[in-house]
Amino acid sequence: VLLEVGGWPLIHYPITAMQLGGVTEITVVVGHNSEKVEKFLGNLYPNILFQYNENHAGGNALSIGAVRDFVENDPFVVCMGDHPISNRIVGDLLSNSRDGNILCIDPKATQPEQLNDATRVFVDDDGYIVRIGKGLKIWNAIDIGVFKMTPEVFSVIDLLVKHQGLEVGISDVVRHMGASDRPFATCDIEGEFWSDVDTLDDYSAIKRKMN
């Protein structure tokens, strides 16, 4: 998350999008190299808080579970720290008229750094997620890693950890809630810039576009 792109660390872009979208309280969940991340970001953003995820080697839903005391009973925004995104995306998400849990999707993603190792989704005609996963054979959009969630996800995370251990991903939560008749709605951000930096090739591509 501290890799430099366009003169800023990768995580600067989701943080900025949240700030411009109206999010005033932000916690960064840390794990690997936590001291380095906290020191670096603490100098850039004095008002940001940090939460250590002791199970950071497990699935990424555990990072969501780590902030339940910070969130309390409020809905909250989740952004991936290694996803540079347009400044407008969080604002678009928060102005979405749907209640409950929402995932931002891109039905027209075409760039390799968007599609490599992408989480695919199939969205129904009403804008709700029917299926989600990296291995979907039939899909009509890409999960861009930006969510609005409600505190009900915490009980789902706890339930899934109880049954399958620490390898619980956010996609597992979305899938379980859909199967429980509580599907995630979607926010279409087609045309907005976003990327997912998983590999050196992804990073090189983003560097060329943003530097």
Side-chain angles (χ1 to χ4, degrees), residues 77-155:
V77 174
V78 175
C79 294
M80 303 294 126
D82 59 353
H83 288 210
I85 60 175
S86 157
N87 287 339
R88 293 187 292 271
I89 286 178
V90 173
D92 290 348
L93 171 63
L94 293 179
S95 64
N96 190 287
S97 61
R98 294 180 186 265
D99 294 326
N101 298 288
I102 304 174
L103 168 60
C104 290
I105 58 164
D106 187 348
K108 300 294 184 180
T110 58
Q111 300 302 308
E113 61 271 17
Q114 296 174 326
L115 298 176
N116 292 338
D117 199 41
T119 297
R120 303 167 177 178
V121 296
F122 188 83
V123 183
D124 67 18
D125 292 340
D126 294 320
Y128 289 93
I129 294 176
V130 177
R131 292 186 295 277
I132 184 169
K134 293 181 183 290
L136 289 188
K137 301 300 182 185
I138 300 175
W139 50 281
N140 54 13
I142 297 295
D143 162 3
I144 78 158
V146 178
F147 302 77
K148 188 184 83 171
M149 293 186 182
T150 64
E152 67 178 327
V153 301
F154 298 131
S155 60

